[in-house]
Amino acid sequence: MAPQQFFQALSDDFGNLLDSQNFFDVRIVIGEAPNIRIFHAHSPILAARSPYFAVVLSSNELKRENNAIIFAKPNISPKIFEIILRYIYNGKISLDKHGVLTILELLATTDELILENFIEPLEDYLIEHHAKNLEENFATLQKTSFMHNSFKKLKNFCTEIAVNNPAIVFNSQDFTSLRVAKLDKNTQVKKVLDWADDNFNTFKESIERLLLLIWFFHIFSVDFYHKVKPFARILPGTLYEDLLHHYLVPGRKDKNTPFEDQLENHFQLLLRNSRDRFAPANFHRLCDYKRATISVIKVKESGQIIGGFNLQSWHFLEQRIDGKRSFIFSFGDDKAENAILSKFVTENGPYGRPEVVMGAIVE
């Protein structure tokens, strides 16, 4: 009997065990109402196949009921989790049945559950069989790939498109939801320096409506020099001169773009411990590149409320964020006079990877 036949029999047996639900000791509640589904599984198999489950299932704080561990993953859809759970048990998946957006969601969940051996084959399948569909959904592809460090092949795929054929980016179906990808700085500048007038005119026509959405006066001076200055000729009106004045004459009151003038305060819940589990990886996954954010934490033992306001976007880079106008605070009790507000004395603000850190020198 060939080894392949043994492996096939083993795969079928584990698949049958999942379907029968015999001897299960884990109940996993997946999704959010009204789309919630409960899956039954076996902790030894989950732990052996996924480092994520190996850590989670070893916690003594998990709820137990009728000798079964119960925990929830509301951020994963039942459809995606069913695909992954079956792969965990029998090592099989039929990607032909699923579209590009489903596979991208599958990839993101695979990374969260640390199924490392599954990531590269999924990337290869997408690039080999769905390159055209990836181009049509470039913004979704770019957002997914740059939120996950392990998606190296998809990142390279995005970068090659943006550098060598930017028309694909502008013509993609979801272009208006695009977040700016990080391209290699040297390659980007080299390309711009080689551009002729026609190249600049074409580029200006393509992004003219988007220029009003850029917060130019919030760009760091280093980024302005390397990433905006090469495109000075496409900036409308006196914007380039106004920007030069902004960086060369400190204290000048700057103009806003029309988009900034129309902004209204709007709050959106990005992360909640009871829903998303507070951990550095989850924080960066849900809160990076969201512009200004407020973090509020209640200390379990003391009931103390602490938090901070970060004017700049969080990121996953090993460097500090500009701390201007950011601050941290603490409410020890109900008396307002006992509240503590700490501003950044220097321009060094919150720190990114690997932990989430906010600190300040109290004046």
Side-chain angles (χ1 to χ4, degrees), residues 237-259:
T238 62
L239 178 57
Y240 182 66
E241 292 297 324
D242 292 338
L243 287 169
L244 285 179
H245 201 173
H246 165 73
Y247 292 109
L248 298 177
V249 185
R252 174 182 181 269
K253 180 173 176 57
D254 300 308
K255 302 176 182 178
N256 288 331
T257 64
F259 176 71

Tab-separated table of all heavy atoms in Angstrom, residues 237-259:
chain	number	residue	atom	x	y	z
A	237	GLY	N	-2.976	75.436	-8.106
A	237	GLY	CA	-2.863	76.807	-7.618
A	237	GLY	C	-1.537	77.108	-6.932
A	237	GLY	O	-0.465	76.781	-7.453
A	238	THR	N	-1.630	77.737	-5.760
A	238	THR	CA	-0.429	78.131	-5.004
A	238	THR	C	-0.113	77.124	-3.903
A	238	THR	O	0.639	77.451	-2.972
A	238	THR	CB	-0.645	79.519	-4.374
A	238	THR	OG1	-1.746	79.459	-3.449
A	238	THR	CG2	-0.924	80.569	-5.442
A	239	LEU	N	-0.665	75.918	-4.009
A	239	LEU	CA	-0.492	74.944	-2.932
A	239	LEU	C	0.981	74.646	-2.656
A	239	LEU	O	1.402	74.574	-1.498
A	239	LEU	CB	-1.245	73.649	-3.265
A	239	LEU	CG	-1.118	72.521	-2.238
A	239	LEU	CD1	-1.590	72.984	-0.864
A	239	LEU	CD2	-1.889	71.283	-2.683
A	240	TYR	N	1.776	74.472	-3.695
A	240	TYR	CA	3.186	74.144	-3.478
A	240	TYR	C	3.904	75.280	-2.756
A	240	TYR	O	4.670	75.041	-1.809
A	240	TYR	CB	3.870	73.842	-4.811
A	240	TYR	CG	5.327	73.450	-4.641
A	240	TYR	CD1	5.665	72.267	-3.996
A	240	TYR	CD2	6.348	74.267	-5.112
A	240	TYR	CE1	7.000	71.906	-3.831
A	240	TYR	CE2	7.681	73.923	-4.949
A	240	TYR	CZ	7.999	72.736	-4.307
A	240	TYR	OH	9.314	72.382	-4.130
A	241	GLU	N	3.650	76.525	-3.145
A	241	GLU	CA	4.266	77.667	-2.472
A	241	GLU	C	3.788	77.770	-1.023
A	241	GLU	O	4.573	78.083	-0.116
A	241	GLU	CB	3.934	78.967	-3.219
A	241	GLU	CG	4.563	79.089	-4.598
A	241	GLU	CD	6.093	79.101	-4.524
A	241	GLU	OE1	6.639	79.676	-3.555
A	241	GLU	OE2	6.717	78.518	-5.413
A	242	ASP	N	2.507	77.497	-0.793
A	242	ASP	CA	1.977	77.507	0.571
A	242	ASP	C	2.650	76.440	1.426
A	242	ASP	O	2.940	76.659	2.614
A	242	ASP	CB	0.467	77.277	0.562
A	242	ASP	CG	-0.290	78.450	-0.060
A	242	ASP	OD1	0.273	79.557	-0.085
A	242	ASP	OD2	-1.431	78.236	-0.512
A	243	LEU	N	2.907	75.277	0.836
A	243	LEU	CA	3.571	74.203	1.575
A	243	LEU	C	5.014	74.570	1.911
A	243	LEU	O	5.490	74.306	3.021
A	243	LEU	CB	3.522	72.906	0.765
A	243	LEU	CG	2.160	72.217	0.685
A	243	LEU	CD1	2.179	71.111	-0.356
A	243	LEU	CD2	1.773	71.650	2.049
A	244	LEU	N	5.712	75.182	0.952
A	244	LEU	CA	7.079	75.636	1.224
A	244	LEU	C	7.087	76.638	2.379
A	244	LEU	O	7.949	76.578	3.274
A	244	LEU	CB	7.687	76.271	-0.032
A	244	LEU	CG	8.121	75.323	-1.145
A	244	LEU	CD1	8.684	76.131	-2.316
A	244	LEU	CD2	9.187	74.346	-0.643
A	245	HIS	N	6.136	77.567	2.353
A	245	HIS	CA	6.035	78.559	3.419
A	245	HIS	C	5.770	77.871	4.767
A	245	HIS	O	6.321	78.248	5.803
A	245	HIS	CB	4.914	79.546	3.094
A	245	HIS	CG	5.055	80.850	3.831
A	245	HIS	ND1	4.243	81.917	3.587
A	245	HIS	CD2	5.905	81.243	4.807
A	245	HIS	CE1	4.594	82.928	4.384
A	245	HIS	NE2	5.603	82.525	5.127
A	246	HIS	N	4.948	76.847	4.731
A	246	HIS	CA	4.598	76.098	5.945
A	246	HIS	C	5.835	75.468	6.575
A	246	HIS	O	6.007	75.506	7.803
A	246	HIS	CB	3.570	75.019	5.587
A	246	HIS	CG	3.390	73.968	6.645
A	246	HIS	ND1	2.727	74.207	7.820
A	246	HIS	CD2	3.798	72.670	6.682
A	246	HIS	CE1	2.723	73.094	8.552
A	246	HIS	NE2	3.362	72.151	7.879
A	247	TYR	N	6.701	74.883	5.757
A	247	TYR	CA	7.865	74.187	6.298
A	247	TYR	C	9.041	75.115	6.578
A	247	TYR	O	9.882	74.813	7.427
A	247	TYR	CB	8.303	73.075	5.326
A	247	TYR	CG	7.306	71.949	5.229
A	247	TYR	CD1	6.543	71.769	4.065
A	247	TYR	CD2	7.093	71.093	6.298
A	247	TYR	CE1	5.608	70.751	3.982
A	247	TYR	CE2	6.162	70.069	6.217
A	247	TYR	CZ	5.422	69.907	5.075
A	247	TYR	OH	4.499	68.899	4.993
A	248	LEU	N	9.111	76.254	5.886
A	248	LEU	CA	10.258	77.154	6.045
A	248	LEU	C	9.995	78.301	7.002
A	248	LEU	O	10.934	78.927	7.497
A	248	LEU	CB	10.670	77.710	4.674
A	248	LEU	CG	11.142	76.670	3.647
A	248	LEU	CD1	11.436	77.347	2.316
A	248	LEU	CD2	12.386	75.949	4.153
A	249	VAL	N	8.710	78.594	7.277
A	249	VAL	CA	8.363	79.713	8.164
A	249	VAL	C	7.521	79.171	9.309
A	249	VAL	O	6.290	79.119	9.218
A	249	VAL	CB	7.595	80.811	7.408
A	249	VAL	CG1	7.347	82.009	8.327
A	249	VAL	CG2	8.356	81.238	6.160
A	250	PRO	N	8.147	78.721	10.400
A	250	PRO	CA	7.398	78.142	11.527
A	250	PRO	C	6.417	79.148	12.129
A	250	PRO	O	6.670	80.349	12.149
A	250	PRO	CB	8.494	77.791	12.537
A	250	PRO	CG	9.759	77.726	11.730
A	250	PRO	CD	9.604	78.723	10.619
A	251	GLY	N	5.299	78.650	12.606
A	251	GLY	CA	4.327	79.502	13.285
A	251	GLY	C	3.288	80.108	12.380
A	251	GLY	O	2.354	80.756	12.832
A	252	ARG	N	3.447	79.926	11.071
A	252	ARG	CA	2.468	80.486	10.140
A	252	ARG	C	1.176	79.700	10.210
A	252	ARG	O	1.172	78.481	10.276
A	252	ARG	CB	3.039	80.404	8.712
A	252	ARG	CG	2.062	80.825	7.614
A	252	ARG	CD	2.749	80.644	6.255
A	252	ARG	NE	1.885	81.048	5.166
A	252	ARG	CZ	1.062	80.233	4.529
A	252	ARG	NH1	0.969	78.983	4.893
A	252	ARG	NH2	0.314	80.672	3.529
A	253	LYS	N	0.039	80.401	10.221
A	253	LYS	CA	-1.253	79.710	10.206
A	253	LYS	C	-1.522	79.215	8.799
A	253	LYS	O	-1.552	79.980	7.839
A	253	LYS	CB	-2.378	80.654	10.660
A	253	LYS	CG	-3.747	79.974	10.668
A	253	LYS	CD	-4.799	80.874	11.272
A	253	LYS	CE	-6.170	80.230	11.187
A	253	LYS	NZ	-6.243	78.926	11.836
A	254	ASP	N	-1.712	77.917	8.679
A	254	ASP	CA	-1.838	77.302	7.364
A	254	ASP	C	-3.284	77.222	6.911
A	254	ASP	O	-4.218	77.209	7.703
A	254	ASP	CB	-1.261	75.884	7.395
A	254	ASP	CG	0.205	75.885	7.789
A	254	ASP	OD1	0.964	76.626	7.154
A	254	ASP	OD2	0.538	75.172	8.748
A	255	LYS	N	-3.416	77.141	5.624
A	255	LYS	CA	-4.724	76.895	5.031
A	255	LYS	C	-5.030	75.403	5.140
A	255	LYS	O	-4.145	74.579	5.294
A	255	LYS	CB	-4.725	77.291	3.553
A	255	LYS	CG	-4.351	78.738	3.285
A	255	LYS	CD	-4.296	78.974	1.787
A	255	LYS	CE	-3.890	80.393	1.441
A	255	LYS	NZ	-3.792	80.581	-0.017
A	256	ASN	N	-6.286	75.065	5.051
A	256	ASN	CA	-6.685	73.675	4.952
A	256	ASN	C	-7.115	73.386	3.525
A	256	ASN	O	-7.459	74.293	2.769
A	256	ASN	CB	-7.859	73.358	5.890
A	256	ASN	CG	-7.427	73.333	7.338
A	256	ASN	OD1	-6.284	73.018	7.635
A	256	ASN	ND2	-8.340	73.670	8.224
A	257	THR	N	-7.078	72.120	3.157
A	257	THR	CA	-7.673	71.746	1.884
A	257	THR	C	-9.182	71.801	2.047
A	257	THR	O	-9.700	71.761	3.168
A	257	THR	CB	-7.258	70.315	1.484
A	257	THR	OG1	-7.780	69.412	2.459
A	257	THR	CG2	-5.746	70.196	1.414
A	258	PRO	N	-9.950	71.889	0.949
A	258	PRO	CA	-11.410	71.903	1.066
A	258	PRO	C	-11.945	70.721	1.860
A	258	PRO	O	-12.918	70.841	2.598
A	258	PRO	CB	-11.868	71.853	-0.398
A	258	PRO	CG	-10.747	72.505	-1.148
A	258	PRO	CD	-9.493	72.090	-0.429
A	259	PHE	N	-11.296	69.581	1.733
A	259	PHE	CA	-11.744	68.399	2.462
A	259	PHE	C	-11.587	68.591	3.962
A	259	PHE	O	-12.477	68.272	4.749
A	259	PHE	CB	-10.951	67.177	2.003
A	259	PHE	CG	-11.277	65.930	2.770
A	259	PHE	CD1	-12.498	65.296	2.592
A	259	PHE	CD2	-10.373	65.400	3.666
A	259	PHE	CE1	-12.804	64.145	3.292
A	259	PHE	CE2	-10.672	64.243	4.367
A	259	PHE	CZ	-11.882	63.618	4.176
